[in-house]
Amino acid sequence: MLKLYRTLYIKLYVLAKSLSCARQLHTLRYLLIALLVSIALSYSLSAFNLAHAEESIQDLKARIKSLESELSRRPKDPSAYPIPKSLTFCGDKIDLRKGDMQKRFELEVIKIIKNRYQVHLYIKRATAVFPEIEDIAKELNTCADLKFLAVVESALKPKVVSRAKATGWWQFMPATAKGFKLKVSKGLDERSDLRASTKAALTYLKRLYKRFDSWPLAMAGYNTGPNRLKRSSKKQKRGSFWDLDLYTEAERYSPRVLAMYYVLTHLKDYDFAKNLDDGWPQEPLVTYRVKLPKSKYQEVKYVTKTIKVKPPKSRDRKKRRKSKRSRTQTRKLKKKVLTVSSKLNYNTVAIALDVPVRDLRRYNPHLQGKHLPLDVAFNLYLPPSRSEYLMKHFPGHSGQAVHRNKAARELNTKLAPSAKVTERIILDHSLQSNSIEKAIKQLGGSINNTYQVKSGDQLWQIAARAQLSISQLKKINQLGPLSVLKVGQRLKLKLD
């Protein structure tokens, strides 16, 4: 028995020496004290207590095993992780043994793996975003490895804004974005549109590679600007990115992208449990191209306002006396006021397309403000089986999808022929005749009758389908501010 205690004590002592974490050492000290106390007690206690001591030893063994397994899962010292001597990026082999290339690359690798929680978030987001970038890279016949540049630029978040006012997935400046036909306005910013901005970014990088014939130089040109990079290259008479003396951010940019590429493609080597396919799954989305005419949805009004104006001072005494009598004059101003139809606010559109408002905004981060943009074509991302709603509520739209993402293609859902498309808010004023009667019939009631509340119904949904405001529906049914809908309750949809 004493021999068993001795071996266990030595094992604990060796484990305590190998640990660096103060908390773990503190825990093991308590374990050693507990072991010594149990040894002292084992000599003084009877055979009954000896059996109890053996149980505590087994418990200690289990604790030691759990500590060892936890230690094996902990990240190693940075020097223990592999640093390659060369790597292949977009088909180009880059030898890192020349000059200080290895040092610059290793510095970026250490900075990436230092913040392991952030890398975990990159993995989570990449599962949904990377397939879309790969599809566009295939369309443009360019390198798919450039997707790691988006990780460095925006951490795969659509609405990131830098100090220099660069925005979106690929951090385009406003002038550069307009040069690649990305629309940047008050209600629409296509720098946050994944498909549109990715096409622009990959086209830009493809041109830069054609110009510099080197991916590190092309990526540095994307960051600092191609003309500035060309001037530095001419001035220093150096053609390689690794030999150029640039400002710190530009010098670190290409090694950072290469380090991000290497770490995220060798996650197991850096003790990450998950792969790039184990993140948040991609939601099935269908892309529609929409353009709303101003003539239908914008109202132009001229408002005449009467304002008081003080008369100008005159040098002539007689005129001054007259001006004192009428110190203020009235003048009429004609002011042009543009108002967008309330039918185009996001809440109304979300109800019409049968999509929650929050989801509509989440799917379309490029659409900003309170209303859909007018007289400009833009991408509208919706869940599958929404083409019928689009055709119904956006007159003139064919309902034909421009693109389906990978998840939507796999799902391949189609609107069942037997499924009913409920009558919802009509966005065109010319189609509103008898719409309330149609809506009431499809809700399950008649014009003179009432609607029976079903499980899951909400007051705003019933009001929207019947083309009434919530206040009107409350007034018709004499509902107070604290009234609660009950299943089976009958609501009037029209005044008697």
Side-chain angles (χ1 to χ4, degrees):
M1 193 72 188
L2 185 63
K3 196 173 181 182
L4 180 67
Y5 280 127
R6 277 181 68 190
T7 53
L8 194 59
Y9 180 82
I10 290 161
K11 196 172 182 182
L12 279 167
Y13 183 75
V14 170
L15 187 63
K17 266 196 165 185
S18 67
L19 292 173
S20 58
C21 179
R23 190 182 288 177
Q24 291 169 355
L25 280 168
H26 193 62
T27 309
L28 278 172
R29 277 177 195 159
Y30 277 111
L31 286 171
L32 286 167
I33 291 162
L35 185 62
L36 288 168
V37 169
S38 65
I39 290 166
L41 286 170
S42 66
Y43 282 103
S44 58
L45 295 174
S46 61
F48 175 77
N49 290 334
L50 189 65
H52 184 69
E54 281 177 3
E55 281 178 19
S56 66
I57 288 164
Q58 293 300 324
D59 185 46
L60 281 168
K61 280 182 178 179
R63 286 189 187 183
I64 290 164
K65 275 186 180 179
S66 68
L67 272 169
E68 283 176 343
S69 64
E70 191 183 333
L71 277 170
S72 66
R73 289 196 301 271
R74 292 284 171 93
K76 301 173 191 171
D77 187 80
S79 60
Y81 291 120
I83 301 294
K85 291 180 180 177
S86 65
L87 59 93
T88 306
F89 182 82
C90 285
D92 289 0
K93 193 173 182 181
I94 301 166
D95 190 359
L96 298 170
R97 289 173 293 184
K98 297 173 184 176
D100 66 341
M101 288 167 67
Q102 184 98 13
K103 177 188 167 185
R104 287 162 72 179
F105 178 81
E106 191 171 351
L107 174 72
E108 298 304 329
V109 168
I110 291 166
K111 288 201 171 189
I112 290 165
I113 61 172
K114 177 187 171 184
N115 195 347
R116 299 182 73 83
Y117 293 104
Q118 188 60 54
V119 177
H120 182 68
L121 285 174
Y122 295 155
I123 296 164
K124 288 284 186 186
R125 293 177 192 136
T127 309
V129 177
F130 277 3
E132 198 68 18
I133 299 174
E134 285 163 8
D135 283 353
I136 295 163
K138 198 175 180 181
E139 282 175 31
L140 298 171
N141 195 23
T142 189
C143 174
D145 291 343
L146 295 170
K147 62 192 174 187
F148 297 99
L149 194 138
V151 183
V152 172
E153 285 287 354
S154 63
L156 301 178
K157 293 189 282 185
K159 288 190 174 182
V160 178
V161 182
S162 72
R163 286 175 293 176
K165 304 297 178 188
T167 307
W169 299 95
W170 297 86
Q171 292 291 284
F172 274 105
M173 295 292 284
T176 315
K178 285 173 184 175
F180 283 91
K181 297 180 181 179
L182 291 176
K183 297 172 188 79
V184 181
S185 61
K186 194 177 179 182
L188 176 67
D189 192 344
E190 287 191 327
R191 294 176 292 176
S192 298
D193 182 339
L194 181 59
R195 279 193 65 77
S197 62
T198 301
K199 276 185 182 178
L202 295 184
T203 306
Y204 188 23
L205 285 160
K206 197 176 175 181
R207 283 184 198 173
L208 289 170
Y209 180 70
K210 200 173 179 181
R211 182 173 176 179
F212 293 108
D213 197 29
S214 161
W215 281 117
L217 277 172
M219 290 188 289
Y222 185 89
N223 176 254
T224 190
N227 295 330
R228 187 177 184 178
L229 187 68
K230 194 74 178 174
R231 283 196 301 270
S232 298
S233 182
K234 270 188 178 181
K235 193 177 178 181
Q236 297 170 35
K237 294 182 181 178
R238 288 284 181 271
S240 171
F241 164 77
W242 305 97
D243 297 331
L244 287 174
D245 181 28
L246 306 168
Y247 67 95
T248 311
E249 175 62 27
E251 276 191 358
R252 285 186 58 193
Y253 189 78
S254 292
R256 194 185 304 159
V257 175
L258 294 172
M260 188 67 73
Y261 158 74
Y262 189 79
V263 170
L264 292 180
T265 51
H266 297 79
L267 287 165
K268 285 189 178 176
D269 293 346
Y270 291 93
D271 291 336
F272 287 101
K274 299 201 174 220
N275 292 318
L276 289 174
D277 299 329
D278 300 330
W280 294 315
Q282 188 183 52
E283 293 179 271
L285 289 177
V286 181
T287 312
Y288 298 96
R289 198 76 180 154
V290 179
K291 188 176 181 180
L292 304 171
K294 273 186 182 180
S295 55
K296 281 188 179 179
Y297 302 108
Q298 193 176 65
E299 296 168 11
V300 182
K301 290 180 182 178
Y302 290 94
V303 180
T304 307
K305 285 188 177 181
T306 306
I307 59 167
K308 291 180 180 181
V309 183
K310 285 184 179 180
K313 287 183 180 180
S314 176
R315 292 182 183 180
D316 192 1
R317 287 183 181 180
K318 289 181 180 179
K319 286 183 179 179
R320 272 192 215 167
R321 284 173 191 169
K322 284 181 182 178
S323 65
K324 280 181 182 178
R325 289 171 196 168
S326 57
R327 285 188 179 181
T328 56
Q329 296 175 354
T330 56
R331 190 183 293 173
K332 288 186 177 181
L333 287 178
K334 207 174 186 183
K335 193 179 178 184
K336 190 178 179 181
V337 180
L338 298 174
T339 55
V340 179
S341 172
S342 61
K343 299 285 179 185
L344 284 183
N345 69 57
Y346 285 104
N347 191 49
T348 312
V349 171
I351 294 165
L353 298 175
D354 197 23
V355 180
V357 184
R358 190 176 183 280
D359 286 351
L360 185 70
R361 286 205 178 267
R362 193 163 51 85
Y363 299 149
N364 301 277
H366 55 292
L367 299 178
Q368 298 167 1
K370 294 180 180 178
H371 300 90
L372 290 180
L374 295 176
D375 209 29
V376 61
F378 60 90
N379 288 336
L380 186 66
Y381 297 95
L382 295 171
S385 307
R386 291 300 185 280
S387 58
E388 294 286 337
Y389 295 105
L390 266 175
M391 289 165 68
K392 184 174 281 293
H393 299 299
F394 289 90
H397 197 283
S398 63
Q400 195 170 0
V402 177
H403 174 77
R404 292 173 184 270
N405 69 2
K406 189 181 175 183
R409 289 196 300 270
E410 286 173 0
L411 188 65
N412 197 20
T413 53
K414 291 181 181 178
L415 193 68
S418 59
K420 285 186 180 180
V421 179
T422 55
E423 186 79 19
R424 293 187 180 270
I425 295 172
I426 296 170
L427 300 176
D428 188 7
H429 299 284
S430 63
L431 299 176
Q432 286 188 351
S433 59
N434 301 322
S435 57
I436 295 173
E437 283 78 1
K438 286 179 185 176
I440 292 165
K441 282 175 185 175
Q442 289 199 351
L443 278 165
S446 64
I447 299 163
N448 300 321
N449 254 336
T450 54
Y451 170 67
Q452 190 172 1
V453 178
K454 295 169 189 172
S455 178
D457 278 344
Q458 292 183 25
L459 198 65
W460 66 270
Q461 288 174 329
I462 298 165
R465 287 173 186 172
Q467 296 221 340
L468 297 168
S469 66
I470 296 171
S471 57
Q472 283 174 331
L473 192 64
K474 280 185 174 182
K475 194 175 179 181
I476 292 166
N477 293 279
Q478 296 179 353
L479 298 173
L482 300 174
S483 299
V484 179
L485 290 180
K486 293 176 183 177
V487 177
Q489 181 182 351
R490 289 196 166 270
L491 294 176
K492 290 180 184 178
L493 299 176
K494 200 174 181 182
L495 283 167
D496 297 330

